[in-house]
Amino acid sequence: MIHKVQYYETDMMGITHHSNYIRWMEEARIELMDQLGFPYREMEAGGIVVPVKSVKVDYLKPCTFGDEVEITVGIQDFNGVVITIGYEMRVKENTVCKAVSEHVFLDRAGKFIRMKRTMPEFCAAVERMMAGSSLAEQKADSSDDRFTG
Amino acid sequence: MIHKVQYYETDMMGITHHSNYIRWMEEARIELMDQLGFPYREMEAGGIVVPVKSVKVDYLKPCTFGDEVEITVGIQDFNGVVITIGYEMRVKENTVCKAVSEHVFLDRAGKFIRMKRTMPEFCAAVERMMAGSSLAEQKADSSDDRFTG
Amino acid sequence: MIHKVQYYETDMMGITHHSNYIRWMEEARIELMDQLGFPYREMEAGGIVVPVKSVKVDYLKPCTFGDEVEITVGIQDFNGVVITIGYEMRVKENTVCKAVSEHVFLDRAGKFIRMKRTMPEFCAAVERMMAGSSLAEQKADSSDDRFTG
Amino acid sequence: MIHKVQYYETDMMGITHHSNYIRWMEEARIELMDQLGFPYREMEAGGIVVPVKSVKVDYLKPCTFGDEVEITVGIQDFNGVVITIGYEMRVKENTVCKAVSEHVFLDRAGKFIRMKRTMPEFCAAVERMMAGSSLAEQKADSSDDRFTG
């Protein structure tokens, strides 16, 4: 997907404020769930929430107002309880950000859901997507990049 | 410092949206720099910007509108080029979030500044603060916590 | 109340992004309801939501990172269905913003609540506050100010 | 233009937080300036900033996560110093929001620019767009709508 950087996403440093990348990860993740066939809106309507357990974000280069950020997203890992999602953001030929987020599946009472038992069709879709994914293989290498702004 | 969760920081899950913790880290970091004797506003006015190189955030428990989040912040590491800052956020007796951020020092042209040469008085203040800090010693252990919402 | 302008509230123009004043109005309004004896958190828990019907904001002077914005808030009008709230924001001796918002009271099904019948004690508290308020009298004059940036 | 409501734009009321409409107005306005042939990025690069002087927003119906908001934008008035822009936002057949914003043109020192003298080609483009616009004629009628949530 493409996210065009908005003026309201910049800060007085003249670049995108770093908190916005966290939001773009959510945009990309929700599009990923659409592609998976399990729109997030429907999952919540069905009583399953998928909060964020952790994020890890490496800001490699700045971007700013008007830039078109191309976000690639993929499932890196899923053990039935925790799902790990990877992100790479590019502006033209430059990688501006690499990130990973982890999520859990909870019912309305806030209890963990074991997806393999509760929603095996979701697990099957994740497996099919991971089999076809290339980002999943890039799993380990986000730590050796450096901010070069 | 205390950050009181605002209504506009919640989302339709009924809890604080996870992107806001990234912003509270900035609030706490700016207060830390005040305590250090180097207000961020003055550093930028003096031609030094301190962008975020990375963040790592573990969301341990949710919090919501009206909660008073007590944020403890400390310098974990500083090698003269990269500074590492640790955060712990509590609501009453519960730790809701642990986080780490890394930052670099750049001049107006976007080039790295070696702070030991350019601003030795800043480095000295950091060392004094780290000598007196307890969070700096908690450096390694943020990874063994789990979301328990 | 005082709101200290955060770095993440600025934009690349070097000033507070105008959307944040709308959020500070909410902060001030929620504090007003605390003072009224009807905390908003409790009203929602009791099944009453108070969405925004309209806002009108005049940006008179810019403010920026680190500024302490003093926000005065008062009830301008209440007819039992719509409540009108006025705001004045100052940084030191300068008025930076004047604003008005209107709100309605809805039940969980989204239907209008006639507060005089449903919650007469709320209406009485509003009347008492308006009797003692000075901002209520300043009702008409927000339109003759001009941006003088 | 279309803005798809993001999860991070909702609040615990389960709907879009009202501050986001102010941001969407900016998105629409920036697209309008592209259409006008004067991209905002280039104007700022050329030393002209166009801050917001006022906004007036009527929230007519709520919208929420996943909704596609169709935003129509047009120039309502321009006297060479202040430009007035009108907005209408629809989700399917429902008008969810009507709004107006006013803007001034400032140089880098914060002084008013008389656009007719400084940038007559901009004024000509505005006149051509207004001559072809329908929203400009809807100028007066945004006040007789009511929140009908």
Side-chain angles (χ1 to χ4, degrees):
Chain A
M1 58 161 286
I2 302 288
H3 178 98
K4 196 167 181 181
V5 182
Q6 299 300 325
Y7 199 89
Y8 60 75
E9 293 177 323
T10 62
D11 63 25
M12 63 188 284
M13 217 179 274
I15 59 174
T16 303
H17 190 269
H18 62 282
S19 61
N20 292 296
Y21 296 78
I22 307 282
R23 299 183 162 196
W24 305 345
M25 288 161 65
E26 185 181 88
E27 287 186 44
R29 197 159 63 232
I30 278 163
E31 206 171 278
L32 180 78
M33 291 192 72
D34 285 350
Q35 288 163 13
L36 203 61
F38 293 85
Y40 188 63
R41 198 173 186 167
E42 289 176 19
M43 285 197 79
E44 278 210 358
I48 299 178
V49 293
V50 191
V52 183
K53 180 184 172 293
S54 75
V55 295
K56 186 177 177 309
V57 186
D58 289 296
Y59 302 96
L60 306 173
K61 279 182 186 298
C63 67
T64 193
F65 170 52
D67 284 345
E68 299 201 340
V69 183
E70 190 189 343
I71 309 176
T72 314
V73 57
I75 300 166
Q76 288 191 348
D77 194 33
F78 179 49
N79 64 8
V81 177
V82 177
I83 191 164
T84 307
I85 301 187
Y87 311 81
E88 188 170 330
M89 306 190 195
R90 301 180 67 83
V91 175
K92 290 175 186 163
E93 69 283 2
N94 294 312
T95 301
V96 297
C97 181
K98 284 190 180 186
V100 175
S101 66
E102 293 178 304
H103 305 264
V104 290
F105 300 82
L106 304 180
D107 65 19
R108 280 187 181 123
K111 287 203 178 142
F112 285 104
I113 294 175
R114 299 191 176 278
M115 293 296 279
K116 280 177 189 165
R117 199 186 308 158
T118 313
M119 245 183 130
E121 67 282 19
F122 177 85
C123 300
V126 168
E127 271 170 39
R128 276 195 305 277
M129 183 178 272
M130 288 183 74
S133 160
S134 61
L135 247 184
E137 295 154 64
Q138 300 173 13
K139 197 170 167 179
D141 65 1
S142 76
S143 58
D144 52 14
D145 291 285
R146 289 291 164 262
F147 187 97
T148 57
Chain B
M1 59 161 286
I2 301 289
H3 178 98
K4 197 166 179 180
V5 183
Q6 299 301 325
Y7 199 89
Y8 59 74
E9 294 177 322
T10 62
D11 63 24
M12 64 189 284
M13 217 179 273
I15 59 173
T16 303
H17 190 270
H18 61 283
S19 61
N20 291 296
Y21 296 77
I22 307 284
R23 299 183 161 197
W24 305 345
M25 288 160 65
E26 185 180 86
E27 288 186 42
R29 197 159 63 233
I30 279 163
E31 206 170 278
L32 180 76
M33 291 192 72
D34 285 350
Q35 288 163 12
L36 203 60
F38 293 86
Y40 189 63
R41 198 173 185 169
E42 290 176 19
M43 286 196 78
E44 279 209 359
I48 299 178
V49 292
V50 193
V52 183
K53 181 185 172 292
S54 75
V55 294
K56 186 177 177 310
V57 186
D58 289 296
Y59 302 96
L60 305 173
K61 279 182 187 297
C63 66
T64 193
F65 170 52
D67 284 345
E68 299 200 340
V69 183
E70 190 189 343
I71 309 177
T72 314
V73 58
I75 301 167
Q76 288 191 347
D77 195 31
F78 179 50
N79 64 9
V81 178
V82 176
I83 192 165
T84 307
I85 301 187
Y87 311 81
E88 187 170 332
M89 305 190 196
R90 302 178 67 83
V91 175
K92 290 175 186 162
E93 68 282 4
N94 293 313
T95 301
V96 297
C97 181
K98 284 191 179 185
V100 175
S101 66
E102 292 178 306
H103 306 264
V104 290
F105 300 81
L106 304 179
D107 65 17
R108 279 187 182 124
K111 286 201 180 143
F112 285 104
I113 293 175
R114 298 191 176 277
M115 293 295 279
K116 280 176 190 168
R117 198 185 310 157
T118 313
M119 243 181 132
E121 68 281 19
F122 177 84
C123 300
V126 168
E127 270 169 40
R128 277 195 305 277
M129 185 178 270
M130 288 183 74
S133 160
S134 60
L135 247 184
E137 295 153 65
Q138 301 173 12
K139 196 171 167 179
D141 65 2
S142 77
S143 59
D144 52 15
D145 290 285
R146 290 290 164 261
F147 188 99
T148 55
Chain C
M1 58 162 286
I2 302 287
H3 178 99
K4 196 167 181 181
V5 182
Q6 299 300 325
Y7 199 89
Y8 60 75
E9 293 177 323
T10 63
D11 64 25
M12 63 189 284
M13 217 179 273
I15 58 173
T16 303
H17 190 269
H18 62 283
S19 61
N20 291 297
Y21 296 77
I22 307 282
R23 299 184 161 197
W24 305 345
M25 289 160 64
E26 185 180 88
E27 287 186 43
R29 197 158 65 231
I30 278 163
E31 206 170 279
L32 180 76
M33 292 193 71
D34 286 350
Q35 287 162 14
L36 203 60
F38 294 85
Y40 189 63
R41 197 173 186 167
E42 290 176 19
M43 284 196 80
E44 278 210 358
I48 299 178
V49 292
V50 192
V52 182
K53 180 184 172 295
S54 75
V55 295
K56 187 176 176 313
V57 187
D58 289 298
Y59 302 96
L60 304 174
K61 280 183 186 297
C63 66
T64 192
F65 170 52
D67 284 346
E68 299 200 342
V69 184
E70 190 188 342
I71 309 176
T72 314
V73 58
I75 300 166
Q76 288 191 347
D77 194 31
F78 179 49
N79 64 7
V81 177
V82 176
I83 191 164
T84 307
I85 301 187
Y87 312 81
E88 187 171 331
M89 306 189 195
R90 301 179 67 82
V91 175
K92 291 176 186 161
E93 68 283 2
N94 294 312
T95 301
V96 297
C97 181
K98 283 191 180 186
V100 175
S101 66
E102 292 177 305
H103 305 264
V104 290
F105 299 82
L106 304 180
D107 65 17
R108 281 188 180 123
K111 287 201 180 144
F112 285 104
I113 294 175
R114 298 189 177 278
M115 293 296 280
K116 280 176 189 168
R117 198 186 309 157
T118 314
M119 242 181 132
E121 68 281 18
F122 176 85
C123 300
V126 168
E127 272 169 39
R128 276 195 305 276
M129 184 178 272
M130 288 182 74
S133 161
S134 61
L135 248 183
E137 292 153 67
Q138 299 173 12
K139 198 169 166 179
D141 66 0
S142 77
S143 58
D144 53 12
D145 290 286
R146 289 292 165 263
F147 187 98
T148 55
Chain D
M1 59 161 285
I2 302 288
H3 178 97
K4 196 166 181 183
V5 182
Q6 299 301 324
Y7 199 88
Y8 59 75
E9 295 177 322
T10 62
D11 63 25
M12 63 188 284
M13 218 179 273
I15 60 174
T16 303
H17 190 269
H18 62 282
S19 62
N20 291 295
Y21 295 78
I22 307 283
R23 300 183 161 199
W24 305 345
M25 289 160 64
E26 185 181 86
E27 287 186 44
R29 196 159 65 232
I30 278 164
E31 207 170 278
L32 180 77
M33 292 193 70
D34 286 349
Q35 288 163 14
L36 203 60
F38 293 87
Y40 188 64
R41 197 174 185 167
E42 289 176 19
M43 286 197 79
E44 279 210 358
I48 299 177
V49 293
V50 193
V52 182
K53 181 186 172 293
S54 75
V55 295
K56 186 176 176 312
V57 187
D58 289 297
Y59 302 97
L60 305 174
K61 278 182 187 296
C63 67
T64 194
F65 170 52
D67 283 346
E68 299 200 341
V69 183
E70 191 188 342
I71 309 176
T72 314
V73 58
I75 301 167
Q76 288 191 349
D77 194 30
F78 180 50
N79 64 7
V81 177
V82 176
I83 191 164
T84 307
I85 302 187
Y87 311 81
E88 187 170 331
M89 306 190 194
R90 302 179 66 82
V91 175
K92 291 176 184 163
E93 69 283 2
N94 294 312
T95 301
V96 297
C97 181
K98 284 190 180 187
V100 175
S101 66
E102 292 177 306
H103 306 263
V104 290
F105 300 81
L106 303 180
D107 65 16
R108 279 187 182 125
K111 286 201 179 142
F112 285 105
I113 294 174
R114 297 192 177 278
M115 293 296 280
K116 279 176 190 168
R117 198 185 310 158
T118 314
M119 243 181 132
E121 68 281 18
F122 176 85
C123 300
V126 167
E127 271 169 40
R128 277 195 303 278
M129 184 178 271
M130 287 182 74
S133 160
S134 60
L135 247 185
E137 294 154 66
Q138 301 173 11
K139 198 170 165 178
D141 64 3
S142 76
S143 59
D144 52 14
D145 291 286
R146 289 291 166 260
F147 188 97
T148 55

